[in-house]
Amino acid sequence: MGEFIKEFWTFLKVRKKFWLLPIVLFLGSLGGLIVMTEGSAIAPFIYTLF
């Protein structure tokens, strides 16, 4: 996992695509939130946001 992050950061620096970083972080946190709340009591509150 660390190698992927290092390579992704190098890609962002070389190509000067720093605007991709917030998008990737948002999608990663949203995916993590969905995985963590799957089947829990918090799920109905999360689904009302969307």
Side-chain angles (χ1 to χ4, degrees), residues 2-40:
E3 182 68 27
F4 172 75
I5 294 171
K6 184 177 176 183
E7 188 172 335
F8 183 66
W9 180 250
T10 305
F11 168 78
L12 291 177
K13 284 193 322 188
V14 170
R15 305 270 187 197
K16 301 206 184 319
K17 303 279 186 186
F18 294 111
W19 55 270
L20 282 174
L21 191 60
I23 296 170
V24 170
L25 291 177
F26 175 74
L27 290 176
S29 63
L30 185 63
L33 181 67
I34 290 172
V35 167
M36 295 297 282
T37 61
E38 187 173 313
S40 71

